Every structure is written in C-alpha cells, then in structure tokens.
Amino acid sequence: MTSRLMRRLDFRTPRVIAALVLREMSTTYGRSAGGYFWAIAEPVAGTVLLTAVFSFLAKSPPLGNNFALFYASGLVPFLMYSTVASKVAMAVKFSKPLLVYPRVTYLDAIIARFLLAALTQILVMYLLFTYLLMSSDTATVIDFDAIGLAILMAMALGVSIGTLNCLLFSVFPVWANLWSVLNRPLFLLSGVIFTYELLPESMAKVLWFNPLLHLTGKMREGFYPTYSPNYISLPYYAAWCFVPLVIGLFFLRRYHKKILNEL
C-alpha cells in the first residue's frame, strides 16, 4: 500500500504520462500527411456542410443570424465529447506494449490519451470560433463562464464514457461494434442541428434524457445572451459523468492484469 502511494506521489508518474502523450502525438498526428490539419478539418467541414444545407432550407438559424456560428456551437462540443470518449476507450489496447512495464499503468494511459484529445479539441475550438467571430458580424456577446463550463462538461462526459468503454471493449469485444451502431443517431439527437425548445413536447420529454442535449444547450448559452436553456440539469449531467467513470475505474483496477493477458 505504501509503495503504491509513493509511486503516485513521486515525479516519475508525470514523466510517464508526458512520454505517453508524446508517443500518442507522434502516432496519431505524425504519421499522416497534414497531421493536426485533419483534427481541424473535421469540425470546419461539418460546419460548412451544415451551413450550406440548412441555409437553403431556412431564412435564418434557430438562434441569431449566422448559420455557421449556430451549427458550430452545437457541433464543436459534440465532437469534443466524442473524440475524447473514443480516444480514452482505446487507451489500454493502444498502450498494451508499454503496460508490461511496472512504471506504466492503465491509469497513466487513460490520462495521457485524455489530455492530448482534450487539449487538441480546445485548440481546434479556439481557432474555429475565433475565425467565425472575426470574419462575420455575429452580433453576439460571449459568456466565457458558460463556454468554459460547457468545455468541462464535454471533457468530463468524454472521459467518463471513454473509461467505461475502455473496460467494456476489452472484456466484451463485440460491444465496440454495438457501440458504433448505437452512436450513429446521436448526431441527430443531441441538439447539433436544432434547439430543445423547438421539439414537440412528446419528443422533448424523451430526448431530455440524452446528456449531450444538455451539453450543446450550455455551449449555445455562451454565444447567445438571450438564450436561456432552462431544461439543463447539471445534477443529472453530473451523474452521467460520475457513475460510468467510477464503474470503469473500479473494474479496470481490479481486472486490468487479466484484461492485458487476454488482449
């Protein structure tokens, strides 16, 4: 017990995590042409596509007067969550060759993948919204507190779901395929292309249980000062961020050696 505690308190753990982050950067962004360009291209391309399609179908977006800002404010937090969740979910499999060393643990692998994914998405978000706000007259007042909270919400849900899936993908490989199928409709059900208030009452009652709808609503609150998403429940969202994380960490701590032997 004492040796494990000292292991966590010395300076070797941050160095291990930093080394894993550098390894992740070189393998994820260093092997393909363009590197970080592709991380930026995904939200940009998604925003351009949504703007092009819906600007032909409607005279104005549901909020404000700028289609690109409206769709980016829904797409960016959704991609932030999904990217963090997918990266963390593969942490053990990705770092398996290094986990045989006693100084490298499954927790180091999870933290390293989380940090790189989160920081990358924050950078992408900064670049995209800076361009949108400077290149057009959006007539908006930025609420940095709401935006900051939305970023924390996206990262917290991403690492929570990702940690649970890190366990499930390793124990039940078929779950990775099922999860991919279940995730496909989320883009259409998470408030990326609509606001909660525009939904029919019967549909709104069902979709309220989707935590991503709370996330996109909080992000849009930061860009539209007149928008008040009263449906958001932070305690409900916090439960989604806490329960899967605790379950995933508990069983990974208990069975990580067995999982590594079976991978």
Side-chain angles (χ1 to χ4, degrees):
M1 178 67 179
T2 302
S3 62
R4 286 201 300 268
L5 180 60
M6 292 303 296
R7 151 79 174 92
R8 307 314 302 178
L9 292 178
D10 65 24
F11 290 101
R12 283 171 289 190
T13 297
R15 291 203 298 267
V16 168
I17 293 174
L20 290 173
V21 169
L22 292 175
R23 175 176 178 264
E24 171 76 14
M25 289 176 65
S26 64
T27 54
T28 303
Y29 301 108
R31 290 183 177 178
S32 60
Y36 272 94
F37 168 79
W38 301 111
I40 300 173
E42 183 178 10
V44 171
T47 300
V48 170
L49 179 61
L50 290 173
T51 299
V53 172
F54 287 97
S55 61
F56 283 107
L57 301 177
K59 294 182 179 179
S60 62
L63 293 173
N65 58 6
N66 188 286
F67 280 95
L69 181 62
F70 175 79
Y71 293 115
S73 62
L75 181 62
V76 166
F78 177 84
L79 290 178
M80 185 177 292
Y81 148 77
S82 62
T83 300
V84 170
S86 63
K87 291 294 186 181
V88 171
M90 299 302 294
V92 170
K93 288 187 176 182
F94 180 80
S95 300
K96 181 190 174 183
L98 300 178
L99 294 178
V100 298
Y101 298 102
R103 292 295 178 186
V104 183
T105 71
Y106 69 92
L107 192 57
D108 295 330
I110 288 175
I111 292 173
R113 288 212 120 195
F114 163 71
L115 287 176
L116 181 59
L119 292 175
T120 300
Q121 290 302 306
I122 290 174
L123 174 62
V124 170
M125 172 185 169
Y126 172 78
L127 294 175
L128 177 58
F129 283 119
T130 298
Y131 172 77
L132 290 177
L133 294 173
M134 294 182 65
S135 63
S136 58
D137 182 15
T138 57
T140 186
V141 178
I142 304 298
D143 183 347
F144 290 101
D145 290 339
I147 294 173
L149 179 56
I151 293 173
L152 291 176
M153 289 169 65
M155 292 189 296
L157 186 63
V159 73
S160 177
I161 300 299
T163 301
L164 180 60
N165 279 337
C166 186
L167 168 71
L168 296 177
F169 287 179
S170 303
V171 178
F172 308 108
V174 70
W175 174 247
N177 296 326
L178 293 175
W179 179 255
S180 177
V181 173
L182 293 173
N183 250 346
R184 288 173 186 172
L186 277 183
F187 178 84
L188 300 175
L189 303 176
S190 300
V192 175
I193 59 177
F194 60 84
T195 61
Y196 178 83
E197 291 76 12
L198 295 178
L199 294 172
E201 184 177 356
S202 58
M203 184 179 295
K205 289 180 178 179
V206 175
L207 291 185
W208 183 90
F209 291 97
N210 177 5
L212 292 173
L213 198 61
H214 300 247
L215 170 62
T216 53
K218 176 55 68 174
M219 179 63 81
R220 286 201 170 110
E221 184 180 10
F223 287 96
Y224 299 97
T226 60
Y227 181 56
S228 299
N230 297 321
Y231 66 90
I232 294 176
S233 172
L234 293 181
Y236 174 75
Y237 192 92
W240 273 95
C241 297
F242 181 76
V243 175
L245 179 64
V246 170
I247 294 174
L249 289 177
F250 175 80
F251 285 104
L252 280 172
R253 182 178 182 274
R254 189 166 184 176
Y255 297 112
H256 68 277
K257 291 182 179 179
K258 181 179 179 181
I259 290 172
L260 286 174
N261 290 333
E262 294 179 354
L263 282 178

